[in-house]
Amino acid sequence: MSVMDESGMFNVQQTIGSVLCCKCGVPMAPNAANMRVNCLRSEVDITEGLQKSIQIFYCPECTCYLQPPKTWIKCQWESKELLTFCIKRLKNLNKVKLKNAEFVWTEPHSKRIKVKLTVQAEVLNGAVLEQSYPVEYTVRDNLCESCSRFQANPDQWVASIQLRQHVSHRRTFFYLEQLILRHDAASRAIRIQQVDQGIDFFFGNKSHANSFVEFLRKVVPIEYRQDQQLVSHDVKSSLYNYKYTYSVKICPVCREDLVCLPSKVASGLGNLGPLVVCTKVSDNITLLDPRTLRCAFLDARQYWRSGFRSALTSRQLVKYFVFDVEPPVGEATVGGQKYALSYVQIARESDIGKMFYVQTHLGHILKPGDQALGYDIYGANVNDNEMEKYRLSVKNGLPEAILIKKCYEEQRERKQKKSRNWKLKSLPMEMDDSRGRVDPEKTDKEYEEFLRDLEENPELRFNISLYRDKDYQASETASMTDGEGAPSVPIEELLADLDLSFEEEDDDDEDDMAAE
């Protein structure tokens, strides 16, 4: 049959013919084998010779799976990593083409993992056949080498990391603890001990300790030294067993510290300061000049090359009353934080009659009647050689005060009746008083200050996981206006503290979904 198109040409309409299947005689579209798919599957099984069942080993202590011969891989249940691990364990899979793989649900307590695989292979006369089949993995519990060693002797470790910061507070360790929990960096530690001015981590494998040190390098400026001690030596096989110790030192400059830069460092940073405030400590140190709003960033290598220390720390902050704030004369954004340069009139809480007229970088949040915390350079006894040199070299003298942050003490006093609706998790640390006693009252006070810093600084809690407190109950006696004006954590930033358990399924878990 022919059809005439618009150009007047006749086109012959082509039709697809059909043939009879050589097995069952049913009409079908022609293919290379001239057989229907069902008939072809009855004749050829492309999964023949492929593994249908296999045994894998699982460490229940550290939730790792054995990748022969000696590698243990940490995988979560029904994760992409576990699916990749299961596929790699199959032999002769290169004879076919893998098209799809997915988990088939099994009871978690059955010690079985089922994976449905879809494969393709070329069969009779070049015809391509696709077929799906299940593979069953039998899970056998077997402790890995490090967990087995720990079960035999909990004190038997291979590598230890002695993390220290030589300052008078633990604020850095509180923040670092939350980063470790968020990234699950210390999951392979067999023991964690809290000591004076630091934390000790013990690992059953040297590679785990190396991974943890690399994590520390990415979050805080550190320098470290590695030592090793010979434990045993097999002369016949030339095998040596060592214990490794990493001495890790964190930069002593902390957030909100006042630093007087050495002249060489200041000139290298474009004549910054030299009186600067540390506004952030991550893998870099952020320094801000509060009188010009200029900033600079120092990495760990640059800092340890000079090794300067803080002239005044947050333990020496003094409360000031703000009487007058002039309009800002300049603005700047440093690391996502906004600052405004203004002149303010302030007075110390202990000496109201003495007024100071100073510059500050907090012009965007201060207003008359507020309270602020700052460093009293006018009356402080500073034991810092660099600041003394700078004091002698400046004609107009040093500023009488440098404000650091706004104070919300009055608002917090009205808020004391209200508890926080959020909480933080903590590492399972043991207390070690043999190398310096840890004062619990001082630690609790510093931890409370850390929680207040989280409420005041959104940037500080950006990399931290805050959880909703299920036990939180609003006080009936507290007024709605109690604590008004005090900073708090928005409920949108809180996560639900989910306790996933295969033994118990609570219907109320749906009400505790994470707020995004």
Side-chain angles (χ1 to χ4, degrees):
M1 182 177 180
S2 60
V3 180
M4 180 180 295
D5 57 9
E6 296 179 355
S7 60
M9 300 295 293
F10 286 92
N11 295 328
V12 179
Q13 185 176 2
Q14 297 181 357
T15 58
I16 301 176
S18 62
V19 297
L20 298 179
C21 175
C22 63
K23 290 287 293 183
C24 61
V26 176
M28 52 166 284
N31 55 30
N34 286 333
M35 295 175 62
R36 295 175 60 244
V37 176
N38 294 336
C39 297
L40 189 59
R41 287 177 178 172
S42 64
E43 291 290 328
V44 181
D45 184 11
I46 62 175
T47 64
E48 184 179 0
L50 301 180
Q51 287 182 296
K52 305 294 193 309
S53 62
I54 189 173
Q55 182 173 277
I56 58 178
F57 294 95
Y58 169 76
C59 178
E61 295 294 328
C62 59
T63 64
C64 294
Y65 293 86
L66 176 62
Q67 178 71 46
K70 294 183 179 181
T71 305
W72 290 86
I73 302 175
K74 187 177 182 64
C75 303
Q76 299 295 331
W77 181 261
E78 292 191 355
S79 62
K80 294 181 180 179
E81 293 79 9
L82 182 58
L83 183 61
T84 304
F85 166 78
C86 293
I87 295 176
K88 288 184 178 180
R89 290 302 314 276
L90 297 176
K91 298 179 181 178
N92 301 328
L93 197 60
N94 55 352
K95 295 181 179 181
V96 295
K97 183 179 180 181
L98 180 63
K99 296 295 291 183
N100 187 33
E102 58 183 4
F103 285 106
V104 178
W105 186 87
T106 55
E107 185 67 30
H109 300 294
S110 65
K111 296 295 182 181
R112 298 291 188 274
I113 299 177
K114 291 185 179 181
V115 178
K116 181 182 178 182
L117 300 180
T118 303
V119 295
Q120 281 185 353
E122 186 175 336
V123 290
L124 301 176
N125 300 325
V128 178
L129 181 62
E130 182 174 303
Q131 187 174 347
S132 299
Y133 71 101
V135 180
E136 183 176 285
Y137 297 83
T138 304
V139 181
R140 301 295 183 188
D141 289 344
N142 186 20
L143 293 179
C144 62
E145 183 180 356
S146 59
C147 294
S148 178
R149 188 187 300 113
F150 178 72
Q151 290 288 342
N153 184 5
D155 294 329
Q156 190 172 2
W157 49 269
V158 175
S160 69
I161 297 178
Q162 299 175 352
L163 186 61
R164 300 290 184 270
Q165 186 184 33
H166 301 294
V167 294
S168 59
H169 56 83
R170 299 186 63 88
R171 293 170 57 193
T172 302
F173 291 105
F174 293 142
Y175 180 70
L176 187 59
E177 179 183 9
Q178 299 305 316
L179 292 180
I180 293 174
L181 288 169
R182 183 183 179 95
H183 298 279
D184 201 18
S187 59
R188 297 183 181 272
I190 60 178
R191 191 168 77 254
I192 305 175
Q193 283 186 349
Q194 178 180 343
V195 297
D196 186 32
Q197 293 188 342
I199 305 175
D200 290 345
F201 298 86
F202 298 90
F203 296 89
N205 195 311
K206 181 186 176 183
S207 61
H208 300 163
N210 288 331
S211 301
F212 187 73
V213 172
E214 288 299 320
F215 168 78
L216 293 176
R217 291 180 59 184
K218 295 178 181 178
V219 295
V220 287
I222 64 169
E223 68 171 359
Y224 69 94
R225 187 187 68 187
Q226 175 186 345
D227 297 319
Q228 61 185 20
Q229 180 183 6
L230 180 63
V231 177
S232 62
H233 173 213
D234 189 351
V235 181
K236 295 182 179 179
S237 60
S238 297
L239 294 178
Y240 297 83
N241 290 328
Y242 290 96
K243 278 193 173 182
Y244 302 91
T245 302
Y246 296 81
S247 179
V248 182
K249 185 166 63 173
I250 303 178
C251 162
V253 178
C254 301
R255 193 176 61 88
E256 299 177 353
D257 285 359
L258 181 67
V259 179
C260 186
L261 296 175
S263 57
K264 186 177 181 180
V265 177
S267 61
L269 298 176
N271 292 324
L272 181 72
L275 282 181
V276 294
V277 177
C278 179
T279 59
K280 183 180 179 181
V281 178
S282 57
D283 55 339
N284 293 324
I285 303 174
T286 305
L287 302 176
L288 174 70
D289 188 344
R291 295 184 293 177
T292 62
L293 298 186
R294 293 178 57 201
C295 66
F297 302 92
L298 291 177
D299 58 17
R301 183 180 302 177
Q302 291 174 318
Y303 171 77
W304 294 111
R305 191 182 304 160
S306 56
F308 56 85
R309 297 182 64 88
S310 301
L312 295 172
T313 66
S314 58
R315 306 296 94 183
Q316 300 167 281
L317 288 173
V318 177
K319 186 187 295 184
Y320 287 88
F321 290 105
V322 180
F323 292 96
D324 188 21
V325 180
E326 295 186 0
V329 296
E331 295 182 354
T333 302
V334 180
Q337 191 74 19
K338 181 181 178 182
Y339 300 102
L341 185 63
S342 299
Y343 287 89
V344 295
Q345 189 177 14
I346 59 176
R348 289 175 296 186
E349 182 186 28
S350 59
D351 187 8
I352 299 294
K354 182 67 175 178
M355 295 288 183
F356 300 109
Y357 190 72
V358 297
Q359 281 182 307
T360 181
H361 59 291
L362 305 178
H364 60 297
I365 59 175
L366 291 180
K367 61 181 182 296
D370 286 344
Q371 297 179 5
L373 295 177
Y375 293 112
D376 182 16
I377 301 179
Y378 175 80
N381 185 11
V382 181
N383 186 15
D384 187 79
N385 295 332
E386 296 297 333
M387 183 169 286
E388 290 299 325
K389 294 178 183 179
Y390 181 59
R391 188 194 300 271
L392 297 175
S393 62
V394 177
K395 296 181 180 179
N396 299 328
L398 299 178
E400 290 82 2
I402 294 181
L403 301 183
I404 299 300
K405 62 180 179 179
K406 186 177 178 179
C407 181
Y408 299 93
E409 185 173 348
E410 291 185 354
Q411 294 87 338
R412 293 188 188 279
E413 288 179 356
R414 295 194 298 266
K415 194 181 177 181
Q416 285 184 354
K417 298 180 181 179
K418 292 185 177 181
S419 59
R420 292 185 175 91
N421 62 343
W422 55 276
K423 63 180 181 179
L424 298 175
K425 292 185 177 181
S426 58
L427 290 172
M429 289 189 290
E430 304 173 358
M431 300 296 295
D432 185 9
D433 296 335
S434 61
R435 290 176 289 175
R437 184 176 179 274
V438 180
D439 188 0
E441 295 183 0
K442 179 183 176 183
T443 303
D444 293 342
K445 182 179 178 181
E446 292 173 351
Y447 188 71
E448 176 64 24
E449 293 178 358
F450 171 68
L451 297 181
R452 292 181 178 182
D453 290 341
L454 291 180
E455 291 176 336
E456 296 175 7
N457 194 342
E459 185 182 2
L460 188 63
R461 59 177 183 262
F462 179 76
N463 295 322
I464 291 181
S465 297
L466 284 76
Y467 298 90
R468 293 167 56 186
D469 190 358
K470 296 180 181 179
D471 301 330
Y472 169 75
Q473 294 181 354
S475 177
E476 298 179 357
T477 60
S479 173
M480 292 296 294
T481 59
D482 287 347
E484 185 178 356
S488 60
V489 179
I491 194 173
E492 295 83 6
E493 299 183 15
L494 303 182
L495 303 174
D497 187 10
L498 296 179
D499 185 13
L500 299 180
S501 175
F502 297 117
E503 298 180 358
E504 298 179 359
E505 294 184 0
D506 194 356
D507 295 334
D508 295 337
D509 287 345
E510 297 180 358
D511 300 333
D512 297 327
M513 294 300 294
E516 297 182 359

